Amino acid sequence: MRLHSWKKRPLRIVLTALLVICLATGCGGREEVEEAPELIEPVGVDVDTTTVKKMDLSGVDSYQGQIVPEIKDLYFVNSGNIGEMKVSPGDKVKKGQVLATLTSVDSSVKKLQKQLKEKQAENKDANDISRYEIQRMQEEVSQLKKQVKNTSNKKQKKSLQKQIQEKQEDIKLAELRLKQQKESQALEIKHLREDIAEAQTQTRESKLISPVNGEVISTAGGSGYMVQGGTTAIRVADMEKPRIQTEFIGNAVLGAASSYMATVNGKQYRVKKEEQEFTQLEIEMGQKPKNSWFDFEDEVSLTVGDSATIDFYSDTAKDALVVPSNAVFRGKQESYVYLMEGSVKKRTNVTTGTVTDAYTQLLTGVEEGDVVYVQD
């Protein structure tokens, strides 16, 4: 029994020693941690600061896009069969070049032009005959007058004068008929010319002519293919008129912007939005367009395929108090800056207005000329 008790003593001694150590070092207790002060700069390191200043500031939303050519959708006014498709996708075309025709092009025009030519010749012959007849009667009157002058027989003279009077009446009637004949001919010629003009219009409508220098994107079938009037038969890309294509941007976003600028290869260009015709119901039903387009306000020379950035400027604030955006700190419920009073930073709550990547407008909390801390 004594031996057993003696063996337990070393264990008690060890436990007692550990207890003493724990009590001395605070083992098992909660260590009290002191909260670190905010924004303590390392000794000898300069503090970055900036001055609150005034400037015009606009909010900016950016969208990525691509330079694409303007697409021309060409169509026949009337329905019919394509008589000849003169181009294929990928072909280069010039402005004024005939790209396709409907069947029976020019046949009616040529027929009417032939009729006009024949009618003009026919009218000329008829008028020449009428004028010859009038001239013949006038010569007869002249001869009768000579006879009256050379005769002394009163009875014969009286007869000759009666003949002269009758011939002069015949001449008046012939001249009146010639006048009416010419008026009738002129009216007929006018109608023929109108028919030709109408046929020429129909002929032009039966031809698809390229309005630009460009490249054929697609065609609706080939020769003999039936096309409906008003539906696209050929699509041509105007390589001389670049535009910007983006993902679809709703009218709410577009309408909120006061101006648009595009950046391509580091250079800025003024652009304008293309109007989008669709309703809110169409958007909700998923029928909205896939893309939005922007046209350059001035002529530009850009390469199709280049990337572009569209910046939407809105909420323009005139003479706004601004600081760099990285001078503004944001908590859960407030925004604040650190005003510099000498080398001391004083936390000051602020109200922000328009915000961009570079600058933030401060509505309250600071004045122009105040110096604030800027975080790296």
Side-chain angles (χ1 to χ4, degrees):
M1 293 293 293
R2 291 180 179 178
L3 179 62
H4 182 69
S5 298
W6 181 85
K7 289 183 179 179
K8 289 184 178 179
R9 287 179 181 176
L11 178 61
R12 291 174 181 172
I13 295 172
V14 171
L15 291 175
T16 301
L18 288 174
L19 179 60
V20 172
I21 294 172
C22 286
L23 291 173
T25 59
C27 179
R30 181 174 297 177
E31 182 177 0
E32 185 175 344
V33 179
E34 182 179 352
E35 185 177 350
E38 297 182 0
L39 297 172
I40 299 299
E41 298 292 338
V43 176
V45 175
D46 291 337
V47 178
D48 290 333
T49 61
T50 188
T51 302
V52 179
K53 63 180 181 179
K54 284 187 176 182
M55 63 180 290
D56 294 344
L57 185 66
S58 296
V60 182
D61 289 321
S62 298
Y63 292 82
Q64 296 302 309
Q66 187 176 36
I67 303 299
V68 298
E70 181 173 291
I71 304 300
K72 301 292 186 182
D73 291 326
L74 308 183
Y75 57 86
F76 293 102
V77 175
N78 303 311
S79 302
N81 294 318
I82 295 178
E84 184 179 5
M85 180 63 72
K86 299 177 178 289
V87 293
S88 300
D91 287 352
K92 305 292 184 182
V93 296
K94 295 182 178 180
K95 184 176 181 180
Q97 179 179 338
V98 177
L99 308 182
T101 62
L102 291 181
T103 55
S104 303
V105 173
D106 288 340
S107 59
S108 59
V109 174
K110 292 178 181 178
K111 183 178 179 180
L112 288 169
Q113 288 175 334
K114 182 180 178 181
Q115 289 180 12
L116 175 63
K117 188 175 181 180
E118 291 174 348
K119 179 56 65 175
Q120 288 173 328
E122 180 184 325
N123 292 344
K124 182 177 183 303
D125 290 342
N127 294 339
D128 286 345
I129 291 173
S130 296
R131 281 192 290 266
Y132 174 78
E133 183 64 20
I134 292 172
Q135 186 179 358
R136 184 186 63 78
M137 288 187 291
Q138 288 173 338
E139 290 177 354
E140 288 181 358
V141 169
S142 296
Q143 292 296 326
L144 289 171
K145 286 181 177 180
K146 288 180 180 180
Q147 293 179 25
V148 169
K149 186 176 180 179
N150 294 330
T151 184
S152 56
N153 188 313
K154 291 183 179 181
K155 186 177 180 180
Q156 186 178 8
K157 183 178 287 190
K158 187 176 180 179
S159 176
L160 290 170
Q161 288 175 340
K162 184 178 180 181
Q163 293 179 42
I164 291 172
Q165 186 176 3
E166 290 173 351
K167 287 291 181 183
Q168 288 175 333
E169 291 297 326
D170 290 341
I171 290 173
K172 288 181 180 179
L173 288 173
E175 289 175 340
L176 179 60
R177 283 196 298 269
L178 177 59
K179 180 180 178 181
Q180 292 173 342
Q181 179 176 289
K182 288 182 176 180
E183 290 174 351
S184 178
Q185 292 170 350
L187 184 60
E188 190 173 13
I189 294 297
K190 178 183 177 183
H191 289 161
L192 269 174
R193 292 188 186 279
E194 289 174 350
D195 291 343
I196 290 172
E198 183 178 352
Q200 287 174 331
T201 299
Q202 292 177 351
T203 296
R204 286 193 294 271
E205 293 173 351
S206 297
K207 294 180 180 179
L208 282 188
I209 299 174
S210 178
V212 297
N213 297 322
E215 181 177 319
V216 177
I217 300 299
S218 64
T219 62
S223 299
Y225 184 82
M226 175 68 182
V227 292
Q228 296 292 327
T231 60
T232 301
I234 299 177
R235 304 188 77 200
V236 177
D238 184 355
M239 297 300 185
E240 297 178 350
K241 191 171 183 182
R243 61 202 309 221
I244 299 175
Q245 175 183 290
T246 68
E247 62 179 288
F248 173 73
I249 303 171
N251 280 333
V253 175
L254 293 173
S258 57
S259 62
Y260 314 91
M261 292 293 291
T263 303
V264 185
N265 297 327
K267 185 176 180 180
Q268 284 196 319
Y269 302 89
R270 291 180 299 172
V271 294
K272 55 187 177 182
K273 64 181 180 180
E274 181 181 283
E275 295 300 324
Q276 302 178 114
E277 299 294 337
F278 56 88
T279 64
Q280 185 62 35
L281 178 61
E282 288 174 326
I283 296 177
E284 294 173 356
M285 294 179 65
Q287 298 176 354
K288 64 184 180 182
K290 293 182 179 179
N291 301 105
S292 295
W293 288 271
F294 297 84
D295 296 318
F296 292 92
E297 291 192 1
D298 303 310
E299 290 188 8
V300 296
S301 179
L302 296 172
T303 302
V304 171
D306 280 351
S307 297
T309 300
I310 297 286
D311 293 325
F312 293 6
Y313 293 90
S314 58
D315 300 329
T316 300
K318 297 290 186 180
D319 290 330
L321 287 175
V322 301
V323 294
S325 291
N326 59 347
V328 180
F329 297 80
R330 301 187 185 279
K332 293 182 179 180
Q333 297 181 345
E334 74 284 330
S335 297
Y336 54 92
V337 298
Y338 286 97
L339 286 175
M340 299 297 300
E341 297 181 355
S343 61
V344 178
K345 306 178 188 68
K346 179 181 178 182
R347 173 170 165 163
T348 305
N349 287 349
V350 294
T351 304
T352 60
T354 299
V355 178
T356 71
D357 290 341
Y359 291 99
T360 295
Q361 179 187 16
L362 301 183
L363 302 176
T364 63
V366 297
E367 296 180 355
E368 185 179 8
D370 284 349
V371 177
V372 298
Y373 168 80
V374 179
Q375 60 183 329
D376 291 336

